[in-house]
Amino acid sequence: SPMHESIQQAAEWIAASKHLVVLTGAGVSKESGVPTFRDALDGLWARYDPQQLATAEAFRRDPKLVWDWYEYRRGLVRAADPNPGHAALAALEALRPLVIVTQNVDDLHQRAGSKDILALHGAIMRSKCFATCRGEPTVIDVAALPAFDPADGPPRCPYCGAWVRPDVVWYGETLPAGALQRAAELASAADVMLVVGTSGVVQPAASLPYLARQAGARLIEVNPRPSEITRAAHLWLEGPSGEILPQVVARVQERLR
Ligand code: BV8
């Protein structure tokens, strides 16, 4: 089948790669039950647009609303387990050096055992001072705050009294210093980039596959639907990453045995 041949070809390129970079988006966590960013709004959140909630301006306007949305999503991440797609990427890293550059703020790649992870948009389980009073990021362990109840909305920074916020990159905010630089260097040096589960809409992350391709990398996309990346991909493995990635990694294992 054409899909079988594409998976075979992807495995050959990955097995022969010297500088493999994997770019992941919300789709890789979908089969873990963590909704993709566009559908992180259901039920009580259905009337909000994520780009209106994931901003510093929204947080300033209504800290408890934004905090509650993140507490809701943190609950989904806590209840989720890595899926076979995360596990396949961790197994692949044992076969050959790779870096996972992720747009995701969940900790599922870490929990699946992946080691070299570059998180472009922060970590939803971490909190920090909104005023970065001790430098960026002033990480606050909210669980250690006296009498902290997550249902009370955001706590106050114990150092300066400003609101505590999730340690994620909001729209209109720059990515963590150095992260984008390192991601661009990795993309420019890649000989193969595997792009998994991203709509390729959010910048600057969505430019990384184009950077890799311009630098001569083979571009492989795993996504059940076309994205902004598909037109630049040499191979599009059309399907859910939880099913496709284990098949690709199994063939890489055969080739490297
Ligand atoms: C910045 C943390 C400026 C928060 C996130 C106009 C044009 C171009 C750019 C802009 C513009 N207007 C504004 C901008 C900039 C803006 C942007 O890109 N906007 C977009 C909407 C157009 N970008 C920013 O603001 C960035 N900062 O530019 O700063 C600046 C510059 C200099 C100085 C000062 C300021 C910051 C962007 C970071 C935003 N934060 N996350 C949080 O999570 O709450 S991004 C957010 O979207 C998530 O992290 C998510 O990962 C990310 C990207 O989305 P995807 O991962 O692709 O997820 P999505 O739902 O879109 O797609 C899921 C895909 O999975 C789909 O393709 C689907 O088919 C697929 N899928 C589904 N099931 C499966 C699957 N795939 C595989 N298997 C499956 N089973």
Side-chain angles (χ1 to χ4, degrees), residues 24-31 35-39 50-51 54 69-70 73 102-105 120-122 124 168-175 196-205 221-227 239-242:
T24 63
V28 79
S29 297
K30 175 97 178 190
E31 291 154 272
T36 66
F37 198 71
R38 303 290 170 280
D39 58 30
Q51 269 110 42
W69 184 51
Y70 281 91
R73 290 174 56 198
T102 189
Q103 300 171 83
N104 297 343
V105 294
L120 296 177
H121 297 154
I124 196 167
V168 298
V169 179
W170 278 332
Y171 287 94
E173 295 187 322
T174 51
L175 275 54
V196 186
T198 181
S199 59
V201 165
V202 173
Q203 296 295 347
E221 180 180 29
V222 178
N223 197 321
R225 294 173 40 71
S227 74
S241 47

Tab-separated table of all heavy atoms in Angstrom, residues 24-31 35-39 50-51 54 69-70 73 102-105 120-122 124 168-175 196-205 221-227 239-242, ligand 1:
chain	number	residue	atom	x	y	z
A	24	THR	N	7.139	18.495	17.549
A	24	THR	CA	5.799	17.996	17.877
A	24	THR	C	4.861	19.131	18.252
A	24	THR	O	5.287	20.174	18.767
A	24	THR	CB	5.840	16.980	19.044
A	24	THR	OG1	6.313	17.605	20.229
A	24	THR	CG2	6.729	15.795	18.685
A	25	GLY	N	3.574	18.878	18.003
A	25	GLY	CA	2.505	19.800	18.390
A	25	GLY	C	1.429	19.037	19.126
A	25	GLY	O	1.587	17.854	19.442
A	26	ALA	N	0.338	19.723	19.392
A	26	ALA	CA	-0.717	19.185	20.254
A	26	ALA	C	-1.269	17.845	19.769
A	26	ALA	O	-1.771	17.047	20.565
A	26	ALA	CB	-1.845	20.208	20.367
A	27	GLY	N	-1.141	17.577	18.476
A	27	GLY	CA	-1.691	16.325	17.934
A	27	GLY	C	-1.063	15.084	18.519
A	27	GLY	O	-1.708	14.050	18.638
A	28	VAL	N	0.232	15.186	18.942
A	28	VAL	CA	0.912	14.004	19.470
A	28	VAL	C	0.327	13.604	20.832
A	28	VAL	O	0.445	12.465	21.264
A	28	VAL	CB	2.444	14.236	19.563
A	28	VAL	CG1	2.816	15.055	20.798
A	28	VAL	CG2	3.209	12.925	19.528
A	29	SER	N	-0.345	14.552	21.492
A	29	SER	CA	-0.953	14.258	22.806
A	29	SER	C	-2.449	13.993	22.721
A	29	SER	O	-3.090	13.661	23.717
A	29	SER	CB	-0.698	15.431	23.772
A	29	SER	OG	0.689	15.599	24.000
A	30	LYS	N	-2.992	14.114	21.515
A	30	LYS	CA	-4.447	13.953	21.348
A	30	LYS	C	-4.911	12.573	21.816
A	30	LYS	O	-5.896	12.433	22.526
A	30	LYS	CB	-4.808	14.142	19.873
A	30	LYS	CG	-6.275	13.890	19.538
A	30	LYS	CD	-7.065	15.153	19.487
A	30	LYS	CE	-8.515	14.863	19.089
A	30	LYS	NZ	-9.278	16.054	18.801
A	31	GLU	N	-4.172	11.510	21.429
A	31	GLU	CA	-4.601	10.143	21.772
A	31	GLU	C	-4.349	9.828	23.242
A	31	GLU	O	-4.719	8.767	23.725
A	31	GLU	CB	-3.885	9.129	20.870
A	31	GLU	CG	-4.354	9.214	19.409
A	31	GLU	CD	-3.316	8.736	18.428
A	31	GLU	OE1	-2.494	9.580	18.019
A	31	GLU	OE2	-3.319	7.563	18.088
A	35	PRO	N	-6.727	17.468	24.869
A	35	PRO	CA	-7.276	18.046	23.633
A	35	PRO	C	-6.245	18.927	22.933
A	35	PRO	O	-5.384	19.513	23.586
A	35	PRO	CB	-8.458	18.890	24.130
A	35	PRO	CG	-8.282	19.051	25.582
A	35	PRO	CD	-7.400	17.967	26.070
A	36	THR	N	-6.344	18.971	21.580
A	36	THR	CA	-5.412	19.840	20.874
A	36	THR	C	-5.775	21.286	21.231
A	36	THR	O	-6.840	21.559	21.774
A	36	THR	CB	-5.520	19.653	19.341
A	36	THR	OG1	-6.813	20.117	18.943
A	36	THR	CG2	-5.316	18.202	18.957
A	37	PHE	N	-4.880	22.184	20.909
A	37	PHE	CA	-5.053	23.558	21.385
A	37	PHE	C	-6.371	24.154	20.918
A	37	PHE	O	-7.078	24.819	21.671
A	37	PHE	CB	-3.893	24.412	20.889
A	37	PHE	CG	-3.791	25.683	21.683
A	37	PHE	CD1	-3.368	25.644	23.002
A	37	PHE	CD2	-4.182	26.894	21.147
A	37	PHE	CE1	-3.298	26.793	23.766
A	37	PHE	CE2	-4.118	28.048	21.902
A	37	PHE	CZ	-3.684	27.992	23.206
A	38	ARG	N	-6.703	23.828	19.658
A	38	ARG	CA	-7.936	24.409	19.104
A	38	ARG	C	-9.141	23.808	19.793
A	38	ARG	O	-10.148	24.446	19.973
A	38	ARG	CB	-8.005	24.186	17.588
A	38	ARG	CG	-6.825	24.746	16.807
A	38	ARG	CD	-6.796	26.249	16.757
A	38	ARG	NE	-5.546	26.753	16.206
A	38	ARG	CZ	-4.424	26.851	16.885
A	38	ARG	NH1	-4.343	26.397	18.102
A	38	ARG	NH2	-3.349	27.375	16.342
A	39	ASP	N	-9.045	22.542	20.262
A	39	ASP	CA	-10.237	21.985	20.920
A	39	ASP	C	-10.046	21.869	22.425
A	39	ASP	O	-10.746	21.153	23.097
A	39	ASP	CB	-10.672	20.643	20.309
A	39	ASP	CG	-9.573	19.591	20.356
A	39	ASP	OD1	-8.747	19.626	21.278
A	39	ASP	OD2	-9.574	18.731	19.466
A	50	PRO	N	-9.167	30.445	22.352
A	50	PRO	CA	-7.888	30.272	23.066
A	50	PRO	C	-6.957	31.469	22.914
A	50	PRO	O	-6.269	31.855	23.852
A	50	PRO	CB	-7.271	29.014	22.454
A	50	PRO	CG	-8.115	28.627	21.314
A	50	PRO	CD	-9.407	29.334	21.421
A	51	GLN	N	-7.004	32.073	21.725
A	51	GLN	CA	-6.112	33.219	21.570
A	51	GLN	C	-6.559	34.405	22.428
A	51	GLN	O	-5.827	35.346	22.637
A	51	GLN	CB	-6.019	33.651	20.099
A	51	GLN	CG	-4.868	32.939	19.404
A	51	GLN	CD	-5.373	31.928	18.420
A	51	GLN	OE1	-6.314	32.204	17.698
A	51	GLN	NE2	-4.762	30.761	18.396
A	54	ALA	N	-5.211	32.772	26.206
A	54	ALA	CA	-3.774	32.558	26.420
A	54	ALA	C	-2.995	33.837	26.111
A	54	ALA	O	-2.124	33.868	25.235
A	54	ALA	CB	-3.303	31.411	25.515
A	69	TRP	N	-8.883	28.259	33.746
A	69	TRP	CA	-8.753	27.526	32.479
A	69	TRP	C	-7.512	26.655	32.505
A	69	TRP	O	-7.519	25.491	32.098
A	69	TRP	CB	-8.712	28.505	31.301
A	69	TRP	CG	-8.680	27.840	29.949
A	69	TRP	CD1	-9.528	26.867	29.492
A	69	TRP	CD2	-7.767	28.103	28.878
A	69	TRP	NE1	-9.180	26.519	28.205
A	69	TRP	CE2	-8.130	27.252	27.801
A	69	TRP	CE3	-6.680	28.981	28.724
A	69	TRP	CZ2	-7.436	27.255	26.581
A	69	TRP	CZ3	-6.003	29.007	27.514
A	69	TRP	CH2	-6.377	28.138	26.465
A	70	TYR	N	-6.400	27.207	33.076
A	70	TYR	CA	-5.173	26.411	33.162
A	70	TYR	C	-5.311	25.303	34.199
A	70	TYR	O	-4.823	24.193	34.001
A	70	TYR	CB	-3.959	27.312	33.423
A	70	TYR	CG	-3.515	27.987	32.148
A	70	TYR	CD1	-4.010	29.236	31.764
A	70	TYR	CD2	-2.651	27.332	31.269
A	70	TYR	CE1	-3.649	29.814	30.557
A	70	TYR	CE2	-2.290	27.911	30.060
A	70	TYR	CZ	-2.799	29.144	29.702
A	70	TYR	OH	-2.456	29.689	28.495
A	73	ARG	N	-7.037	22.553	32.414
A	73	ARG	CA	-6.137	21.854	31.498
A	73	ARG	C	-5.084	21.064	32.260
A	73	ARG	O	-4.678	19.977	31.840
A	73	ARG	CB	-5.505	22.865	30.534
A	73	ARG	CG	-6.523	23.424	29.526
A	73	ARG	CD	-5.922	24.514	28.675
A	73	ARG	NE	-4.730	24.051	27.993
A	73	ARG	CZ	-3.819	24.892	27.457
A	73	ARG	NH1	-3.972	26.204	27.571
A	73	ARG	NH2	-2.764	24.412	26.841
A	102	THR	N	9.387	20.682	21.078
A	102	THR	CA	7.940	20.591	21.208
A	102	THR	C	7.273	21.942	21.442
A	102	THR	O	7.831	22.802	22.124
A	102	THR	CB	7.520	19.602	22.309
A	102	THR	OG1	6.100	19.401	22.229
A	102	THR	CG2	7.909	20.093	23.697
A	103	GLN	N	6.111	22.104	20.830
A	103	GLN	CA	5.271	23.286	21.072
A	103	GLN	C	4.344	23.021	22.250
A	103	GLN	O	3.671	23.926	22.731
A	103	GLN	CB	4.404	23.586	19.850
A	103	GLN	CG	5.163	23.866	18.579
A	103	GLN	CD	4.234	23.935	17.388
A	103	GLN	OE1	3.622	24.974	17.120
A	103	GLN	NE2	4.095	22.839	16.679
A	104	ASN	N	4.321	21.769	22.704
A	104	ASN	CA	3.364	21.374	23.737
A	104	ASN	C	3.827	21.819	25.110
A	104	ASN	O	5.033	21.940	25.371
A	104	ASN	CB	3.160	19.855	23.718
A	104	ASN	CG	2.560	19.394	22.399
A	104	ASN	OD1	2.016	20.205	21.652
A	104	ASN	ND2	2.693	18.115	22.091
A	105	VAL	N	2.878	22.075	25.982
A	105	VAL	CA	3.192	22.499	27.351
A	105	VAL	C	2.907	21.371	28.344
A	105	VAL	O	3.132	21.531	29.543
A	105	VAL	CB	2.382	23.777	27.716
A	105	VAL	CG1	2.853	24.944	26.861
A	105	VAL	CG2	0.879	23.552	27.550
A	120	LEU	N	9.388	24.841	23.551
A	120	LEU	CA	9.356	26.205	23.027
A	120	LEU	C	8.356	27.093	23.762
A	120	LEU	O	8.542	28.306	23.854
A	120	LEU	CB	8.972	26.190	21.530
A	120	LEU	CG	9.930	25.519	20.572
A	120	LEU	CD1	9.350	25.544	19.161
A	120	LEU	CD2	11.302	26.183	20.603
A	121	HIS	N	7.265	26.486	24.254
A	121	HIS	CA	6.171	27.302	24.809
A	121	HIS	C	5.986	27.149	26.306
A	121	HIS	O	4.946	27.504	26.836
A	121	HIS	CB	4.852	26.946	24.085
A	121	HIS	CG	4.880	27.273	22.633
A	121	HIS	ND1	4.096	26.613	21.706
A	121	HIS	CD2	5.615	28.168	21.928
A	121	HIS	CE1	4.345	27.103	20.492
A	121	HIS	NE2	5.254	28.048	20.610
A	122	GLY	N	7.001	26.610	27.009
A	122	GLY	CA	6.921	26.521	28.466
A	122	GLY	C	6.309	25.212	28.937
A	122	GLY	O	6.230	24.241	28.195
A	124	ILE	N	3.005	23.718	31.350
A	124	ILE	CA	1.744	24.087	32.000
A	124	ILE	C	1.732	23.743	33.484
A	124	ILE	O	1.040	24.375	34.285
A	124	ILE	CB	0.543	23.440	31.273
A	124	ILE	CG1	-0.771	24.118	31.680
A	124	ILE	CG2	0.501	21.926	31.506
A	124	ILE	CD1	-1.942	23.767	30.796
A	168	VAL	N	3.870	29.408	30.854
A	168	VAL	CA	3.738	29.093	29.424
A	168	VAL	C	3.911	30.387	28.639
A	168	VAL	O	3.755	31.482	29.186
A	168	VAL	CB	2.360	28.463	29.104
A	168	VAL	CG1	2.187	27.139	29.846
A	168	VAL	CG2	1.222	29.430	29.405
A	169	VAL	N	4.208	30.253	27.340
A	169	VAL	CA	4.368	31.429	26.480
A	169	VAL	C	2.994	31.806	25.945
A	169	VAL	O	2.378	31.023	25.227
A	169	VAL	CB	5.326	31.141	25.310
A	169	VAL	CG1	5.451	32.365	24.407
A	169	VAL	CG2	6.685	30.696	25.822
A	170	TRP	N	2.513	32.983	26.281
A	170	TRP	CA	1.218	33.434	25.782
A	170	TRP	C	1.368	34.109	24.432
A	170	TRP	O	2.482	34.476	24.027
A	170	TRP	CB	0.599	34.384	26.803
A	170	TRP	CG	-0.090	33.644	27.935
A	170	TRP	CD1	-0.665	32.403	27.882
A	170	TRP	CD2	-0.269	34.100	29.284
A	170	TRP	NE1	-1.187	32.055	29.100
A	170	TRP	CE2	-0.979	33.081	29.978
A	170	TRP	CE3	0.069	35.261	29.972
A	170	TRP	CZ2	-1.328	33.202	31.317
A	170	TRP	CZ3	-0.288	35.379	31.313
A	170	TRP	CH2	-0.979	34.354	31.972
A	171	TYR	N	0.271	34.261	23.709
A	171	TYR	CA	0.329	34.971	22.420
A	171	TYR	C	0.818	36.393	22.658
A	171	TYR	O	0.436	37.034	23.639
A	171	TYR	CB	-1.048	34.958	21.759
A	171	TYR	CG	-1.368	33.582	21.229
A	171	TYR	CD1	-2.098	32.673	21.989
A	171	TYR	CD2	-0.860	33.148	20.000
A	171	TYR	CE1	-2.345	31.395	21.525
A	171	TYR	CE2	-1.098	31.877	19.540
A	171	TYR	CZ	-1.832	30.995	20.313
A	171	TYR	OH	-2.047	29.731	19.863
A	172	GLY	N	1.712	36.832	21.798
A	172	GLY	CA	2.275	38.181	21.950
A	172	GLY	C	3.496	38.183	22.843
A	172	GLY	O	4.163	39.199	22.981
A	173	GLU	N	3.825	37.036	23.471
A	173	GLU	CA	5.034	36.950	24.307
A	173	GLU	C	6.149	36.255	23.532
A	173	GLU	O	5.880	35.399	22.688
A	173	GLU	CB	4.728	36.177	25.600
A	173	GLU	CG	3.732	36.895	26.512
A	173	GLU	CD	3.563	36.222	27.865
A	173	GLU	OE1	3.558	34.964	27.922
A	173	GLU	OE2	3.417	36.946	28.866
A	174	THR	N	7.367	36.623	23.829
A	174	THR	CA	8.497	35.987	23.136
A	174	THR	C	8.765	34.619	23.766
A	174	THR	O	8.424	34.380	24.934
A	174	THR	CB	9.771	36.844	23.298
A	174	THR	OG1	9.926	37.113	24.688
A	174	THR	CG2	9.648	38.144	22.555
A	175	LEU	N	9.354	33.748	22.998
A	175	LEU	CA	9.675	32.402	23.492
A	175	LEU	C	10.850	32.503	24.477
A	175	LEU	O	11.569	33.501	24.470
A	175	LEU	CB	10.028	31.503	22.300
A	175	LEU	CG	8.838	30.840	21.575
A	175	LEU	CD1	7.792	31.825	21.121
A	175	LEU	CD2	9.299	29.960	20.436
A	196	VAL	N	5.329	16.176	13.784
A	196	VAL	CA	4.227	15.322	14.253
A	196	VAL	C	3.148	16.156	14.942
A	196	VAL	O	3.412	16.849	15.928
A	196	VAL	CB	4.747	14.273	15.270
A	196	VAL	CG1	3.633	13.303	15.648
A	196	VAL	CG2	5.943	13.512	14.713
A	197	GLY	N	1.935	16.129	14.383
A	197	GLY	CA	0.784	16.644	15.113
A	197	GLY	C	0.745	18.140	15.318
A	197	GLY	O	0.395	18.609	16.402
A	198	THR	N	1.115	18.880	14.271
A	198	THR	CA	0.982	20.332	14.408
A	198	THR	C	0.259	20.893	13.194
A	198	THR	O	0.445	20.433	12.071
A	198	THR	CB	2.348	21.035	14.589
A	198	THR	OG1	2.123	22.456	14.747
A	198	THR	CG2	3.279	20.816	13.407
A	199	SER	N	-0.563	21.913	13.421
A	199	SER	CA	-1.285	22.539	12.306
A	199	SER	C	-0.367	23.502	11.559
A	199	SER	O	-0.682	23.966	10.476
A	199	SER	CB	-2.510	23.305	12.822
A	199	SER	OG	-2.073	24.292	13.751
A	200	GLY	N	0.795	23.788	12.134
A	200	GLY	CA	1.765	24.658	11.471
A	200	GLY	C	1.276	26.091	11.338
A	200	GLY	O	1.631	26.796	10.403
A	201	VAL	N	0.468	26.529	12.290
A	201	VAL	CA	-0.116	27.877	12.233
A	201	VAL	C	0.629	28.851	13.142
A	201	VAL	O	0.829	30.007	12.808
A	201	VAL	CB	-1.609	27.796	12.670
A	201	VAL	CG1	-2.170	29.177	12.991
A	201	VAL	CG2	-2.428	27.116	11.582
A	202	VAL	N	1.042	28.343	14.313
A	202	VAL	CA	1.597	29.244	15.333
A	202	VAL	C	3.069	29.534	15.042
A	202	VAL	O	3.880	28.628	14.895
A	202	VAL	CB	1.413	28.617	16.731
A	202	VAL	CG1	2.128	29.440	17.781
A	202	VAL	CG2	-0.070	28.513	17.040
A	203	GLN	N	3.373	30.809	14.985
A	203	GLN	CA	4.735	31.266	14.738
A	203	GLN	C	5.388	31.650	16.072
A	203	GLN	O	4.676	32.012	17.013
A	203	GLN	CB	4.710	32.501	13.820
A	203	GLN	CG	4.161	32.197	12.430
A	203	GLN	CD	5.047	31.229	11.648
A	203	GLN	OE1	6.177	30.961	12.036
A	203	GLN	NE2	4.517	30.695	10.556
A	204	PRO	N	6.718	31.614	16.197
A	204	PRO	CA	7.672	31.254	15.136
A	204	PRO	C	7.921	29.752	14.974
A	204	PRO	O	8.652	29.360	14.073
A	204	PRO	CB	8.953	31.955	15.599
A	204	PRO	CG	8.839	31.973	17.091
A	204	PRO	CD	7.375	32.110	17.392
A	205	ALA	N	7.304	28.887	15.785
A	205	ALA	CA	7.575	27.436	15.701
A	205	ALA	C	7.309	26.893	14.289
A	205	ALA	O	8.060	26.053	13.775
A	205	ALA	CB	6.709	26.691	16.714
A	221	GLU	N	6.088	14.380	7.576
A	221	GLU	CA	4.999	14.841	8.445
A	221	GLU	C	4.103	13.674	8.828
A	221	GLU	O	3.781	12.829	7.983
A	221	GLU	CB	4.157	15.930	7.759
A	221	GLU	CG	3.019	16.406	8.667
A	221	GLU	CD	2.141	17.475	8.050
A	221	GLU	OE1	2.013	17.495	6.813
A	221	GLU	OE2	1.597	18.306	8.803
A	222	VAL	N	3.716	13.631	10.125
A	222	VAL	CA	2.722	12.663	10.607
A	222	VAL	C	1.530	13.457	11.104
A	222	VAL	O	1.640	14.246	12.052
A	222	VAL	CB	3.283	11.793	11.752
A	222	VAL	CG1	2.213	10.826	12.270
A	222	VAL	CG2	4.515	11.020	11.293
A	223	ASN	N	0.376	13.297	10.416
A	223	ASN	CA	-0.810	14.067	10.775
A	223	ASN	C	-1.996	13.431	10.049
A	223	ASN	O	-1.884	13.142	8.856
A	223	ASN	CB	-0.632	15.534	10.324
A	223	ASN	CG	-1.615	16.469	11.010
A	223	ASN	OD1	-2.781	16.128	11.212
A	223	ASN	ND2	-1.151	17.651	11.390
A	224	PRO	N	-3.151	13.243	10.733
A	224	PRO	CA	-4.296	12.659	10.018
A	224	PRO	C	-4.921	13.628	9.021
A	224	PRO	O	-5.707	13.228	8.171
A	224	PRO	CB	-5.286	12.322	11.150
A	224	PRO	CG	-4.873	13.149	12.293
A	224	PRO	CD	-3.427	13.421	12.149
A	225	ARG	N	-4.555	14.925	9.158
A	225	ARG	CA	-5.123	15.915	8.242
A	225	ARG	C	-4.001	16.765	7.652
A	225	ARG	O	-2.932	16.868	8.240
A	225	ARG	CB	-6.094	16.824	9.021
A	225	ARG	CG	-7.325	16.094	9.546
A	225	ARG	CD	-8.174	16.969	10.441
A	225	ARG	NE	-8.290	18.349	9.954
A	225	ARG	CZ	-8.976	18.730	8.885
A	225	ARG	NH1	-9.592	17.813	8.184
A	225	ARG	NH2	-9.030	19.987	8.512
A	226	PRO	N	-4.225	17.399	6.505
A	226	PRO	CA	-3.190	18.277	5.963
A	226	PRO	C	-3.005	19.483	6.883
A	226	PRO	O	-3.916	19.879	7.621
A	226	PRO	CB	-3.742	18.693	4.597
A	226	PRO	CG	-5.187	18.381	4.611
A	226	PRO	CD	-5.400	17.306	5.615
A	227	SER	N	-1.826	20.059	6.854
A	227	SER	CA	-1.520	21.220	7.713
A	227	SER	C	-0.782	22.250	6.857
A	227	SER	O	-0.572	22.046	5.659
A	227	SER	CB	-0.605	20.757	8.848
A	227	SER	OG	0.703	20.540	8.321
A	239	GLY	N	-2.168	9.913	9.141
A	239	GLY	CA	-2.803	9.080	10.174
A	239	GLY	C	-2.437	9.576	11.555
A	239	GLY	O	-1.608	10.476	11.703
A	240	PRO	N	-3.049	8.979	12.591
A	240	PRO	CA	-2.755	9.399	13.954
A	240	PRO	C	-1.357	8.955	14.391
A	240	PRO	O	-0.931	7.829	14.066
A	240	PRO	CB	-3.843	8.712	14.780
A	240	PRO	CG	-4.394	7.635	13.937
A	240	PRO	CD	-4.101	7.954	12.511
A	241	SER	N	-0.666	9.822	15.113
A	241	SER	CA	0.728	9.522	15.470
A	241	SER	C	0.829	8.286	16.362
A	241	SER	O	1.832	7.558	16.296
A	241	SER	CB	1.358	10.734	16.170
A	241	SER	OG	0.501	11.253	17.166
A	242	GLY	N	-0.201	8.028	17.163
A	242	GLY	CA	-0.174	6.860	18.058
A	242	GLY	C	-0.137	5.552	17.288
A	242	GLY	O	0.309	4.525	17.800
B	1	BV8	C1	5.263	35.977	19.314
B	1	BV8	C2	1.283	28.032	25.231
B	1	BV8	C3	5.723	38.246	19.219
B	1	BV8	C4	0.027	28.596	25.795
B	1	BV8	C5	1.117	28.473	22.843
B	1	BV8	C6	-0.214	36.755	12.254
B	1	BV8	C7	0.599	35.971	11.452
B	1	BV8	C8	1.653	35.236	11.985
B	1	BV8	C9	1.901	35.270	13.363
B	1	BV8	C10	1.080	36.039	14.141
B	1	BV8	C11	0.030	36.766	13.613
B	1	BV8	N1	-0.585	37.409	14.637
B	1	BV8	C12	0.038	37.086	15.794
B	1	BV8	C13	1.072	36.288	15.497
B	1	BV8	C14	2.032	35.747	16.412
B	1	BV8	C15	1.425	34.586	17.189
B	1	BV8	C16	0.830	33.526	16.279
B	1	BV8	O1	1.534	32.702	15.742
B	1	BV8	N2	-0.493	33.559	16.134
B	1	BV8	C17	-1.124	32.570	15.262
B	1	BV8	C18	-2.446	32.120	15.908
B	1	BV8	C19	-1.331	33.205	13.899
B	1	BV8	N3	2.547	33.999	17.873
B	1	BV8	C20	2.866	34.466	19.086
B	1	BV8	O2	2.224	35.303	19.681
B	1	BV8	C21	4.159	33.916	19.681
B	1	BV8	N4	4.927	35.006	20.139
B	1	BV8	O3	5.119	35.958	18.133
B	1	BV8	O4	5.769	37.032	19.966
B	1	BV8	C22	6.855	38.997	19.685
B	1	BV8	C23	8.017	39.030	18.913
B	1	BV8	C24	9.060	39.773	19.341
B	1	BV8	C25	8.952	40.470	20.539
B	1	BV8	C26	7.780	40.427	21.308
B	1	BV8	C27	6.726	39.682	20.896
B	1	BV8	C28	3.852	33.024	20.854
B	1	BV8	C29	3.148	31.781	20.365
B	1	BV8	C30	3.031	30.794	21.531
B	1	BV8	C31	1.574	30.724	21.945
B	1	BV8	N5	1.451	29.724	23.029
B	1	BV8	N6	1.045	27.596	23.840
B	1	BV8	C32	-0.982	27.527	26.088
B	1	BV8	O5	-0.801	26.356	25.670
B	1	BV8	O6	-1.980	27.856	26.763
B	1	BV8	S1	0.853	27.933	21.278
B	1	BV8	C33	-0.395	26.732	21.265
B	1	BV8	O7	-0.606	26.447	19.901
B	1	BV8	C34	-0.054	25.380	21.860
B	1	BV8	O8	1.177	25.314	22.518
B	1	BV8	C35	0.017	24.472	20.617
B	1	BV8	O9	0.976	23.498	20.700
B	1	BV8	C36	0.403	25.476	19.644
B	1	BV8	C37	0.435	25.200	18.203
B	1	BV8	O10	-0.717	24.545	17.845
B	1	BV8	P1	-0.569	23.004	17.433
B	1	BV8	O11	0.380	22.332	18.367
B	1	BV8	O12	-0.261	22.937	15.997
B	1	BV8	O13	-1.992	22.491	17.769
B	1	BV8	P2	-3.295	22.683	16.875
B	1	BV8	O14	-4.456	22.410	17.751
B	1	BV8	O15	-3.221	23.975	16.115
B	1	BV8	O16	-3.148	21.513	15.764
B	1	BV8	C38	-3.196	20.163	16.171
B	1	BV8	C39	-2.736	19.338	14.990
B	1	BV8	O17	-2.701	17.979	15.382
B	1	BV8	C40	-3.685	19.439	13.794
B	1	BV8	O18	-2.936	19.587	12.612
B	1	BV8	C41	-4.390	18.077	13.809
B	1	BV8	O19	-4.708	17.620	12.497
B	1	BV8	C42	-3.311	17.196	14.388
B	1	BV8	N7	-3.797	15.982	15.033
B	1	BV8	C43	-5.010	15.753	15.601
B	1	BV8	N8	-5.046	14.485	16.084
B	1	BV8	C44	-3.827	13.926	15.826
B	1	BV8	C45	-3.030	14.872	15.163
B	1	BV8	N9	-1.768	14.626	14.777
B	1	BV8	C46	-1.272	13.397	15.036
B	1	BV8	N10	-1.968	12.430	15.680
B	1	BV8	C47	-3.240	12.656	16.078
B	1	BV8	N11	-3.936	11.687	16.718
